Amino acid sequence: MASSAGQPQFRYTQPPSKVLHLRNLPWECTEEELIELCKPFGKIVNTKCNVGANHNQAFVEFADLNQAIAMVSYYASSSEPAQVRGKSVYLQYSNRQEIVNNKSTGDVASNVLLVTIEGVDSGDVSIDVLHLVFSAFGFVHKIATFEKTAGFQALVQFSDADTAASARSALDGRSIPRYLLPEHVASCHLRISFSAHTDLNVKFQSHRSRDYTNPNLPVNPSAIDGAGQFTVGPDGKRRELESNVLLASIEKMQYAVTVDVLNTVFSAFGRVQKIAIFEKNGGFQALIQYPDIATAVVAKEALEGHCIYDGGYCKLHLSYSRHTDLNVKGNNDRSRDYTIPASGMLQAQPSSLVGATPATAGGWQGPPSTPIMYSGNEFMGSSCPPQPGGAPRPQHLQGWEYGQSQIASQTPGPNAFSSPAYAGQGPPMPSPPGLVASNMGTNNLQSSNHSPHIGQPQMPYYGHQPMQMQMPGGLPPVNGGTPAYHM
DNA sequence: AGCACA
């Protein structure tokens, strides 16, 4: 049809839409790159990448119209254009109101349901709850859960499409019963469609994936704690596969935990080679690399379950990473390579944590045709984008605080983004009552002068840690009076 | 640099 020649299709004033059309993108721009660019302005509910003859256009759909308006307005008045990989990106309202992914309409009946659990984090709805809910309609063969931009999702496999259809029609739009949910979850509606899958490939039982047809399937703790793997020891019992790299997640992170804080804590057990901080699913995680496994084992044993700060704050959970050598690019607020001589790393690079390639992905896999972001490696969901140098950002959304960001729900008017005042550090944090890890004994040099000062950038340690911090025999530091670490 | 295989 020749509808194109008739009218000026591309006007300066497109009618606003939740959907933005981006062009002049770099070749094969990824969804992650799009999200990094757009998420400061709101919640992205859908994307469509590699559109157009040159595969250099894309669509991004915000949850709210005002968020799209905020982004367009911001860049309309910005001196710096939107950029991806250094390329100027041109954006405008799409002439459509929503992205239609005609990949799978979800209307083709299948024995596998694609379930989107709206309004919850992945931690709020366990796979067991899902199993319970869907088992009401028939035997549930397998469940695989994952997170995508659409939110927390699950694939639920029944024996046949009829059973799946009955579950769908009964549950679509309904909410999981309140008593099955954590108290803080107000409601969580299920949006259910048919998946393009017919048989999920669940490799291990984990908190992400379950195969109820094969109870003997090995449990994979890497998918449970997000880190290490188990191996079968000589006694026939499963043992965690040790590594010189520890994966730390932090619970009750009332206070900011910086690279320097981690270095202080973990250096008590040996020389820390590299540290990388990243965010996973809104949670704080860090990788700490020691020169050898033995040191990591000692540190893990000593620190597991203990708190960095008094009052039960910043409780450490440690597991062995699958990485052995972190690929830390430069030194910045999220990553540090202490093995590089100090002279060579004066310039802070844009945040770019790139770990060594994880050996395995998630515990389950579907056909490669399905555009699901397989989660299960430590870097999935990490939001450590390269920040365009000097480009003004309306908000500083790196790091753990993004999970609590209000931006998705509060969309200020266009003027709200005109000031670059947000470009600085993270939000003000309360001062911690004291670094518990510093109460390690009288011969500990790190007590006072290395206490973290939250909200202020610290001088990074580029040198080796003082040997005094390493306890005799490699044992965890013990202190005469107060315990060095406490539960 | 300019709108998506219905």
Side-chain angles (χ1 to χ4, degrees), chain A residues 124-468:
Chain A
D124 293 336
V125 179
S126 72
I127 205 164
D128 298 307
V129 165
L130 292 172
H131 182 244
L132 189 65
V133 168
F134 283 89
S135 291
F137 303 89
F139 179 63
V140 173
H141 285 226
K142 301 172 185 176
I143 297 180
T145 65
F146 52 93
E147 288 199 74
K148 256 195 93 182
T149 53
F152 184 42
Q153 294 188 309
L155 290 164
V156 180
Q157 178 174 343
F158 288 100
S159 343
D160 53 76
D162 285 346
T163 310
S166 67
R168 180 192 178 184
S169 58
L171 294 175
D172 191 19
R174 306 280 304 274
S175 181
I176 293 176
R178 181 73 65 87
Y179 65 88
L180 291 175
L181 299 171
E183 289 178 14
H184 68 273
V185 177
S187 70
C188 83
H189 287 88
L190 302 174
R191 207 183 69 224
I192 304 177
S193 59
F194 291 113
S195 166
H197 294 278
T198 56
D199 188 20
L200 306 178
N201 181 13
V202 173
K203 290 179 178 166
F204 354 75
Q205 315 287 15
S206 77
H207 80 311
R208 300 183 180 283
S209 60
R210 215 60 73 79
D211 182 345
Y212 301 96
T213 68
N214 183 5
N216 296 322
L217 202 63
V219 173
N220 183 357
S222 78
I224 288 178
D225 63 17
Q229 293 183 329
F230 276 57
T231 182
V232 179
D235 51 359
K237 297 179 70 174
R238 275 205 320 268
R239 291 179 29 159
E240 198 170 358
L241 194 62
E242 294 166 348
S243 165
N244 64 314
V245 178
L246 295 176
L247 171 67
S249 59
I250 295 185
E251 188 187 332
K252 286 193 70 178
M253 210 172 90
Q254 181 85 8
Y255 307 110
V257 173
T258 63
V259 171
D260 294 319
V261 169
L262 291 172
N263 185 37
T264 303
V265 171
F266 284 86
S267 289
F269 306 90
R271 183 158 130 60
V272 171
Q273 289 185 319
K274 298 174 185 176
I275 294 180
I277 289 176
F278 57 97
E279 182 195 356
K280 179 179 176 176
N281 303 332
F284 177 99
Q285 294 197 329
L287 291 163
I288 298 95
Q289 177 175 339
Y290 286 110
D292 53 78
I293 292 177
T295 310
V297 170
V298 171
K300 178 176 182 292
E301 294 303 310
L303 292 173
E304 169 56 34
H306 292 279
C307 301
I308 297 178
Y309 294 110
D310 271 323
Y313 296 121
C314 301
K315 186 173 183 177
L316 281 167
H317 292 287
L318 297 172
S319 55
Y320 296 109
S321 169
R322 279 158 297 179
H323 301 285
T324 55
D325 188 21
L326 303 178
N327 182 11
V328 170
K329 302 266 182 67
N331 289 278
N332 52 57
D333 61 335
R334 329 200 103 236
S335 60
R336 204 67 54 80
D337 184 346
Y338 301 98
T339 66
I340 299 178
S343 57
M345 41 195 219
L346 292 175
Q347 79 286 19
Q349 290 205 339
S351 297
S352 64
L353 159 67
V354 181
T357 308
T360 52
W364 71 277
Q365 286 197 322
S369 61
T370 309
I372 287 169
M373 184 190 300
Y374 296 112
S375 52
N377 73 63
E378 291 159 1
F379 296 97
M380 191 57 68
S382 112
S383 76
C384 312
Q387 297 284 335
R393 286 305 191 110
Q395 295 258 357
H396 180 84
L397 291 178
Q398 287 184 27
W400 61 272
E401 72 270 22
Y402 182 60
Q404 284 98 302
S405 170
Q406 306 286 333
I407 200 163
S409 52
Q410 302 177 350
T411 305
N415 293 339
F417 288 140
S418 59
S419 162
Y422 289 105
Q425 315 303 324
M429 300 283 292
S431 284
L435 183 65
V436 176
S438 66
N439 296 329
M440 286 198 229
T442 51
N443 61 343
N444 186 340
L445 292 185
Q446 56 189 126
S447 330
S448 56
N449 45 345
H450 288 181
S451 285
H453 293 280
I454 305 306
Q456 298 175 12
Q458 290 198 314
M459 283 304 293
Y461 308 125
Y462 289 147
H464 297 200
Q465 292 303 313
M467 287 309 292
Q468 289 91 331

